[in-house]
């Protein structure tokens, strides 16, 4: 009897142990996705894509970014580290680094080489600029590096930053039409990646072009085709159908990025990775980070009210439905955990708003820089501006010192000048950013996105509705709700159905995953979790 009880206990314990973690975690990030898209387009979605995630998973309707700038690289880094740029160091996509006194790209690494000949510039990439660990790093440590971690995206930064420092691989798309990687991850591409690249899956899409998925009457949630707020696609008027073959022949395979088919090719690549790398094939948890980038390219070009963006999301819905079905068949229902979110949302087109009597505008960063230089020369008789870069004002300390100027007075003078501009809401000095404990909401966003070794001497925030962009399409970067409110849905392994409208912040995702998986928290996380998906 004692032996039977012991055997029974062993079986129960083994079953419990096997269920402590899912076989596979899939992180899906959709570049530039507004939460509002899930509402606006839902009548035209299938039942098995976005609706399946929301109906059978747990939806956070009021998820927000808690820092600025709301860009791709800091967004991805913050999702996976559970902290903000002030800690993880990815303060923008590319930025003027005050200590190095040069432009820095978020994943540049001159010490590595590309694994695909002819892609040197696009291939010399790694996560070396990321200063903290990710949830994917902690999973590698927790499994003694037995669990696999792979990051995939059209963009290098969308693949590399989520995959972290210890990833088995990160792959990204290049203008040659191939998925590439760098020597940071290995000496040569895996054979299956070479085989996938040889298939040239982008070519059928280029040859067939981009037509509407559904009848034109379906797109009544968008503005009319070829409206004045849309930009051109490779110098062609924004009118369906698009002759992608002509664009490809005049350019390169990078054309795929600005079409919804970039998402399809990426999803096919993700399925191939699951198959060939045997992800989710045993009881040691693996992690696949997938970032769909085409949504961002299309959003920038055409804007959030375009038929192009609606068609892109209707197609992505089908792509996600197919991908979930694939996970069901290969990993098994209940064996995988999915979370879906976005790296930022996006603004409305400011010209569209202005045409409807909202007094906002789009601002040229070149004009901002010119105005700052002109002010400096008129006020101090010399240009003390070292660089204006994405809300950051950098001063040339050597010139200021040589001219015997008081740096405190220089900062105050520029601050007063910026407040005369119609587009400026707040201006902060480095000292104010680093020492303030006030309840200034905008300052809080700036503080969480500011690194004193990299950012500027002054940092300013635009007024709501004003954007630093062209007159067509749309952009992002601000601390306002139109840029910060993104979807978050958890689905699958040990996730109950439900929803909440309570406000949450993006840095809660990584520590929640750590608690869910029962592994160490990422080392700089703010450690606030989403209890709704931790409660059984």
């Amino acid at each position: 009897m004692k032996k039977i009880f012991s055997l029974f206990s062993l079986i129960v314990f083994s079953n419990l142990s096997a269920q402590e973690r899912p076989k596979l975690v899939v992180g899906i990030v959709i570049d530039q996705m507004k939460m509002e898209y899930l509402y606006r387009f839902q009548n035209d979605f299938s039942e098995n894509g976005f609706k399946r995630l929301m109906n059978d998973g747990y939806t956070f309707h009021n998820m927000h970014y808690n820092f600025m700038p709301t860009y791709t690289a800091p967004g991805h880094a913050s999702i996976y580290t559970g902290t903000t740029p002030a800690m993880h160091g990815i303060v923008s996509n590319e930025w003027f680094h005050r200590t190095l006194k040069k432009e820095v790209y978020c994943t540049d690494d001159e010490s590595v080489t590309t694994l695909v000949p002819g892609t040197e510039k696009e291939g010399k990439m790694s996560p070396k600029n990321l200063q903290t660990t990710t949830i994917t790093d902690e999973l590698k440590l927790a499994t003694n590096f037995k669990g696999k971690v792979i990051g995939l995206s059209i963009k290098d930064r969308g693949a590399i930053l989520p995959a972290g420092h210890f990833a088995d691989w990160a792959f990204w798309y290049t203008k040659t039409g191939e998925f590439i990687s760098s020597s940071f991850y290995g000496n040569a591409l895996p054979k299956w990646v070479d085989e996938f690249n040889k298939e040239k899956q982008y070519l059928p899409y280029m040859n067939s072009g981009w037509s509407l998925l559904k009848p034109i009457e379906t797109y009544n949630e968008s503005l009319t085709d070829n409206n004045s707020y849309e930009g051109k696609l490779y110098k062609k008027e924004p009118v369906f159908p698009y002759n992608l073959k002509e664009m490809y022949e005049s350019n390169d395979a990078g054309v795929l990025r600005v079409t919804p088919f970039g998402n399809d090719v990426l999803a096919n690549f993700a399925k191939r990775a699951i198959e060939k790398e045997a992800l989710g094939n045993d009881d040691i948890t693996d992690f696949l980070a997938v970032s769909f980038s085409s949504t961002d390219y299309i959003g920038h070009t055409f804007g959030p009210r375009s038929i192009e963006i609606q068609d892109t999301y209707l197609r992505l819905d089908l792509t996600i439905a197919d991908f979930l079905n694939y996970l069901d068949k290969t990993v098994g229902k209940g064996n995988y955990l999915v979370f879906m979110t976005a790296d930022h949302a996006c603004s409305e087109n400011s010209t569209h708003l202005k045409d409807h009597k909202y007094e906002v505008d789009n601002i040229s960063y070149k004009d901002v820089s010119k105005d700052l230089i002109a002010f400096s020369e008129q006020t101090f008789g010399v240009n003390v501006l070292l660089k204006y870069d994405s809300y950051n004002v950098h001063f040339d300390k050597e010139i200021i010192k040589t001219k015997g100027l008081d740096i405190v007075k220089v900062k105050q003078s520029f601050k007063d000048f910026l407040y005369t501009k119609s587009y400026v809401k707040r201006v902060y000095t480095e000292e104010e950013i680093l020492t303030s404990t006030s309840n200034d909401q905008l300052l809080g966003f700036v503080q969480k996105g500011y690194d004193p070794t990299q950012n500027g001497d002054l940092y300013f925030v635009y007024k709501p509705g004003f954007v630093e962009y062209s007159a067509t399409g749309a952009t992002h970067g601000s601390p306002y709700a139109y840029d910060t409110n993104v979807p978050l849905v958890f689905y699958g392994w040990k996730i109950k159905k439900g929803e909440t409208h309570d406000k949450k912040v993006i840095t809660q995702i990584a520590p929640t995953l750590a608690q869910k998986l029962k592994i160490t928290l990422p080392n700089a996380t703010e450690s606030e979790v989403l209890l709704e998906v931790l409660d059984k």
Side-chain angles (χ1 to χ4, degrees), residues 7-21 283 335 493-494:
L7 179 62
F8 176 76
S9 299
L10 180 62
I11 293 171
V12 170
F13 178 76
S14 297
N15 287 336
L16 286 173
S17 298
Q19 292 300 310
E20 283 182 358
R21 295 177 188 152
D283 290 331
N335 290 329
W493 180 81
K494 289 192 176 182

Side-chain angles (χ1 to χ4, degrees), residues 19 132 157 296 397 423 443 454 461:
Q19 292 300 310
T132 64
R157 53 190 182 267
D296 183 69
K397 305 294 177 51
Y423 53 82
L443 180 53
Q454 302 187 83
V461 184

Side-chain angles (χ1 to χ4, degrees), residues 35-108:
M35 181 66 201
E36 181 255 351
Y37 290 156
L38 289 177
Y39 311 142
R40 190 175 3 140
F41 304 144
Q42 68 172 292
N43 290 339
D44 302 316
F45 287 147
S46 70
E47 294 300 317
N48 301 313
F50 291 123
K51 283 184 179 179
R52 176 179 172 182
L53 291 175
M54 295 180 73
N55 292 339
D56 297 337
Y58 199 97
T59 304
F60 296 86
H61 294 267
N62 202 16
M63 170 59 66
H64 287 265
Y65 277 85
N66 54 347
F67 63 86
M68 69 173 294
T70 39
Y71 292 149
T72 296
H76 280 81
S78 297
I79 291 167
Y80 281 86
T81 63
T83 189
T84 64
M87 293 299 291
H88 61 60
I90 305 298
V91 297
S92 190
N93 293 334
E94 54 187 342
W95 62 95
F96 184 81
H97 193 299
R98 70 187 289 181
T99 303
L100 301 177
K101 294 185 179 180
K102 68 175 186 178
E103 291 286 336
V104 172
Y105 180 68
C106 57
T107 52
D108 267 346

Side-chain angles (χ1 to χ4, degrees), residues 210-281:
W210 181 9
S211 300
L212 289 174
L213 177 67
K214 297 188 177 186
I216 187 67
E217 296 80 17
T218 306
Y219 300 85
N220 56 357
E221 292 87 4
S222 302
L223 297 177
T224 57
D225 199 15
N226 195 20
N227 63 73
S228 60
Y229 312 115
E230 297 179 293
K232 294 182 178 182
L233 184 59
Y234 288 93
K235 300 181 180 180
K236 303 297 182 182
E237 293 298 321
V239 182
F240 282 99
Y242 287 96
N243 186 337
L244 300 181
K245 183 177 181 180
E246 181 181 343
M247 296 177 192
Y248 166 63
E249 290 173 346
S250 301
N251 297 277
D252 52 46
V255 169
L256 184 77
R257 295 180 175 120
V258 202
T259 75
F261 311 118
N263 296 329
D264 294 309
V265 173
L266 182 70
N268 290 341
F269 190 54
K271 289 188 284 186
R272 191 72 60 88
I274 291 171
E275 175 192 353
K276 297 299 183 180
E277 295 289 340
L279 301 182
N281 204 33

Side-chain angles (χ1 to χ4, degrees), residues 49 69 92 147 310 356 475:
S92 190
Q310 183 171 356
H356 287 78
T475 193

Side-chain angles (χ1 to χ4, degrees), residues 115-116 169-171 178-182 186-194 197:
L115 299 186
V116 178
W169 285 102
F171 303 105
E178 299 164 293
F179 282 92
I180 66 171
S181 192
S182 77
N187 297 322
L189 288 180
K191 183 179 178 182
W192 68 266
V193 178
D194 280 328
N197 286 336

Side-chain angles (χ1 to χ4, degrees), residues 381-450:
V382 64
N383 177 25
V384 300
L385 182 72
L386 182 60
K387 182 77 172 180
Y388 167 67
D389 176 66
S390 186
Y391 317 116
N392 289 267
V393 179
H394 296 264
F395 293 122
D396 191 323
K397 305 294 177 51
E398 291 300 318
I399 290 179
I400 290 174
K401 183 178 180 181
T402 300
K403 293 293 181 179
L405 300 173
D406 185 332
I407 184 63
V408 175
K409 291 182 179 179
V410 169
K411 289 181 181 181
Q412 187 60 49
S413 295
F414 272 86
K415 183 175 179 179
D416 292 341
F417 169 71
L418 283 167
Y419 272 125
T420 68
K421 296 297 180 180
S422 62
Y423 53 82
V424 172
K425 182 66 176 179
R426 292 282 193 278
V427 186
Y428 303 108
T429 65
E430 174 187 1
E431 292 76 15
E432 290 170 327
I433 295 168
L434 296 178
T435 62
S436 177
T437 56
S438 71
N439 293 321
D440 184 333
Q441 178 182 352
L442 295 180
L443 180 53
F445 277 83
V446 172
Q447 283 176 318
K448 287 181 177 294
Y450 187 88

